[in-house]
Amino acid sequence: MITISIYLLYDLPRVGAAIFRAIPEPFQPAAKELLRKADLAFGGYVRGTILGAVANGGVVALAMYLSFGVFQGFGLEVLTQAMVLGFLAFVFSFVPVLGVIISAIPALVLALPLGWLAFGVVALALWLCNQVSGIIWPVIMGRTTSLHPVTGIAAVLIGASLMGLGGALLAVPLAAFLKLLYTDYYLRSRFYREG
């Protein structure tokens, strides 16, 4: 699967051109415009996901530096450890729901030798980071996909309940694409204006 994905990404322009040639010529301008809108919606989702992951990684790195720094001192070693934990949070931010849990495990394991108080402080800091990310992420996604944050959250919940993890991943870009179709085609249609 990974090998096929790499080849498809490498040859995506050629594959896309071959598929596009299969569309009858009279429909190609409309198909090109539709593909441009899909690219806009999915590109906004990718930008939003990357920005959200960067924000999440930064918040976790800061929280871990403060949490571990109280117990180990605010030295370079603690800063390096916090940066690594922030990077893990960044990487696992791309995995919905499970990423938060997976990225928290190393921080909690590192806190165990420091005692139960340190473990509790780190767990509380991670929980607060999750709450902050839960506020920041929908706002970023809303700005990059032109969706209201509540719409994005609802799309993820509906997509996850209907199709699991794949549905959660595709829900926001699909909702953004449907919104583009609604505003650019339906609201400008003669049927909408005349009834």
Short mmCIF file of all heavy atoms in Angstrom, two decimals, residues 45 96-97 151-161 164 167-169 171-172:
data_model
loop_
_atom_site.label_atom_id
_atom_site.label_comp_id
_atom_site.label_asym_id
_atom_site.label_seq_id
_atom_site.Cartn_x
_atom_site.Cartn_y
_atom_site.Cartn_z
N TYR A 45 -8.00 21.91 3.84
CA TYR A 45 -7.99 20.92 4.92
C TYR A 45 -6.57 20.52 5.29
O TYR A 45 -6.22 20.44 6.47
CB TYR A 45 -8.80 19.70 4.51
CG TYR A 45 -8.70 18.56 5.48
CD1 TYR A 45 -9.32 18.63 6.72
CD2 TYR A 45 -7.95 17.43 5.18
CE1 TYR A 45 -9.23 17.59 7.63
CE2 TYR A 45 -7.86 16.38 6.08
CZ TYR A 45 -8.50 16.47 7.30
OH TYR A 45 -8.39 15.43 8.19
N PRO A 96 -6.57 11.19 13.95
CA PRO A 96 -7.68 11.66 14.78
C PRO A 96 -7.92 10.74 15.98
O PRO A 96 -7.75 9.54 15.89
CB PRO A 96 -8.88 11.65 13.85
CG PRO A 96 -8.37 11.41 12.49
CD PRO A 96 -6.98 10.86 12.61
N VAL A 97 -8.31 11.30 17.07
CA VAL A 97 -8.71 10.66 18.32
C VAL A 97 -7.56 9.87 18.95
O VAL A 97 -7.12 10.18 20.05
CB VAL A 97 -9.95 9.76 18.14
CG1 VAL A 97 -10.39 9.18 19.46
CG2 VAL A 97 -11.09 10.54 17.52
N THR A 151 -19.59 23.34 12.40
CA THR A 151 -19.82 22.50 11.22
C THR A 151 -18.70 21.47 11.07
O THR A 151 -18.96 20.31 10.77
CB THR A 151 -19.92 23.37 9.96
OG1 THR A 151 -20.91 24.37 10.15
CG2 THR A 151 -20.26 22.53 8.75
N GLY A 152 -17.46 21.91 11.27
CA GLY A 152 -16.34 20.99 11.19
C GLY A 152 -16.41 19.89 12.23
O GLY A 152 -16.17 18.72 11.93
N ILE A 153 -16.74 20.27 13.48
CA ILE A 153 -16.86 19.27 14.55
C ILE A 153 -17.98 18.30 14.24
O ILE A 153 -17.83 17.08 14.38
CB ILE A 153 -17.09 19.97 15.91
CG1 ILE A 153 -15.83 20.75 16.32
CG2 ILE A 153 -17.45 18.96 16.98
CD1 ILE A 153 -16.04 21.68 17.50
N ALA A 154 -19.13 18.83 13.78
CA ALA A 154 -20.26 17.96 13.44
C ALA A 154 -19.90 17.03 12.29
O ALA A 154 -20.27 15.85 12.30
CB ALA A 154 -21.48 18.81 13.08
N ALA A 155 -19.16 17.55 11.30
CA ALA A 155 -18.76 16.71 10.17
C ALA A 155 -17.89 15.55 10.63
O ALA A 155 -18.07 14.41 10.21
CB ALA A 155 -18.04 17.55 9.12
N VAL A 156 -16.93 15.84 11.53
CA VAL A 156 -16.05 14.78 12.03
C VAL A 156 -16.85 13.74 12.81
O VAL A 156 -16.66 12.54 12.65
CB VAL A 156 -14.91 15.37 12.90
CG1 VAL A 156 -14.16 14.28 13.63
CG2 VAL A 156 -13.96 16.17 12.04
N LEU A 157 -17.76 14.20 13.66
CA LEU A 157 -18.57 13.26 14.45
C LEU A 157 -19.45 12.39 13.56
O LEU A 157 -19.55 11.18 13.75
CB LEU A 157 -19.43 14.02 15.46
CG LEU A 157 -18.66 14.71 16.60
CD1 LEU A 157 -19.62 15.55 17.45
CD2 LEU A 157 -17.96 13.68 17.46
N ILE A 158 -20.07 13.00 12.57
CA ILE A 158 -20.93 12.25 11.65
C ILE A 158 -20.10 11.28 10.81
O ILE A 158 -20.45 10.11 10.66
CB ILE A 158 -21.76 13.20 10.76
CG1 ILE A 158 -22.78 13.95 11.61
CG2 ILE A 158 -22.44 12.43 9.63
CD1 ILE A 158 -23.46 15.10 10.89
N GLY A 159 -18.97 11.77 10.28
CA GLY A 159 -18.11 10.91 9.48
C GLY A 159 -17.57 9.74 10.27
O GLY A 159 -17.52 8.61 9.78
N ALA A 160 -17.18 9.99 11.53
CA ALA A 160 -16.65 8.91 12.37
C ALA A 160 -17.73 7.89 12.71
O ALA A 160 -17.47 6.69 12.73
CB ALA A 160 -16.04 9.48 13.65
N SER A 161 -18.94 8.36 12.97
CA SER A 161 -20.01 7.43 13.33
C SER A 161 -20.47 6.61 12.12
O SER A 161 -20.86 5.45 12.27
CB SER A 161 -21.20 8.17 13.95
OG SER A 161 -21.80 9.01 13.00
N GLY A 164 -16.21 5.32 10.59
CA GLY A 164 -15.05 5.10 11.45
C GLY A 164 -13.94 6.10 11.21
O GLY A 164 -14.18 7.27 10.91
N GLY A 167 -13.89 7.88 7.83
CA GLY A 167 -14.91 8.91 7.77
C GLY A 167 -14.52 10.17 8.52
O GLY A 167 -14.79 11.28 8.07
N ALA A 168 -13.85 9.99 9.65
CA ALA A 168 -13.38 11.15 10.42
C ALA A 168 -12.33 11.92 9.64
O ALA A 168 -12.29 13.15 9.68
CB ALA A 168 -12.82 10.70 11.77
N LEU A 169 -11.46 11.21 8.91
CA LEU A 169 -10.42 11.87 8.13
C LEU A 169 -10.99 12.62 6.92
O LEU A 169 -10.51 13.69 6.57
CB LEU A 169 -9.40 10.84 7.64
CG LEU A 169 -8.42 10.33 8.68
CD1 LEU A 169 -7.60 9.17 8.11
CD2 LEU A 169 -7.49 11.43 9.14
N ALA A 171 -14.23 13.70 6.51
CA ALA A 171 -15.43 14.47 6.77
C ALA A 171 -15.25 15.96 6.52
O ALA A 171 -16.07 16.59 5.84
CB ALA A 171 -15.91 14.23 8.20
N VAL A 172 -14.20 16.57 7.05
CA VAL A 172 -14.02 18.02 6.92
C VAL A 172 -13.76 18.43 5.47
O VAL A 172 -14.40 19.35 4.97
CB VAL A 172 -12.93 18.53 7.88
CG1 VAL A 172 -12.62 19.99 7.63
CG2 VAL A 172 -13.37 18.34 9.33
#
